[in-house]
Amino acid sequence: ETTGQNWITMPEYFKNNGYFSSGVGKLYHPNLPPQGDPPSWSDVKEYPYYNPSPKGCPNGTAWCSIDPKKYNFSDIEALDEGLRRMHHAKNLSQPFFLGVGFHKPHLPFRSPTGFIEMYPPAVNISTAKNKDFPKGAPTIALNNCL
């Protein structure tokens, strides 16, 4: 919590106001706030902040088609854990806040086998004719990683 002494997150606000608060998936940038933000969660021992780490593509590229029987998708793991926590929370005698964040769309672009193959090769897809960065757009919006 290097931003300041007096700030609280939205889940911490709910927790402080009588809600069961739990978080799963990409709710924050990794390790910001540190250690998954323990002050925001109601039961950090039984239900700690859970953010499954997305795996890269086996071939090292930015996008790939993978066999879901061999590799896990982090968003499916987050969904399953979110559902487990929702079933827990619905039986509590208090209201609940459940944050479930998904990593996609985000690098690496992993998709189940057969999905990418439904589309033409990237070399056959036309790109925008105007390649200039939009005037007045914030520089943080510029991304040249593909």
Side-chain angles (χ1 to χ4, degrees):
E1 296 192 6
T2 58
T3 303
Q5 296 290 339
N6 298 320
W7 71 279
I8 61 170
T9 64
M10 186 169 65
E12 186 177 0
Y13 175 84
F14 281 104
K15 183 187 87 170
N16 292 347
N17 286 278
Y19 284 66
F20 173 78
S21 176
S22 190
V24 172
K26 191 177 182 200
L27 298 178
Y28 304 112
H29 202 273
N31 211 33
L32 294 171
Q35 291 87 44
D37 191 32
S40 290
W41 316 118
S42 297
D43 186 350
V44 293
K45 188 172 184 179
E46 182 67 27
Y47 294 98
Y49 175 63
Y50 175 72
N51 186 17
S53 179
K55 313 299 184 280
C57 289
N59 58 7
T61 63
W63 59 88
C64 60
S65 180
I66 62 171
D67 184 348
K69 295 176 185 158
K70 293 182 181 179
Y71 299 95
N72 290 335
F73 286 88
S74 60
D75 284 347
I76 299 298
E77 292 177 32
L79 172 66
D80 290 344
E81 180 62 15
L83 288 170
R84 185 179 82 84
R85 293 181 187 208
M86 186 169 59
H87 289 296
H88 168 76
K90 76 175 185 174
N91 294 316
L92 298 174
S93 60
Q94 66 188 111
F96 65 90
F97 170 87
L98 176 60
V100 180
F102 296 104
H103 186 77
K104 299 299 177 196
H106 196 289
L107 285 170
F109 298 114
R110 300 168 66 220
S111 64
T113 304
F115 185 79
I116 291 176
E117 292 78 5
M118 295 185 332
Y119 298 93
V123 295
N124 295 343
I125 299 173
S126 300
T127 58
K129 292 178 182 173
N130 177 0
K131 298 185 191 283
D132 296 332
F133 189 65
K135 292 179 182 173
T139 55
I140 195 168
L142 179 62
N143 186 335
N144 288 322
C145 60
L146 293 178

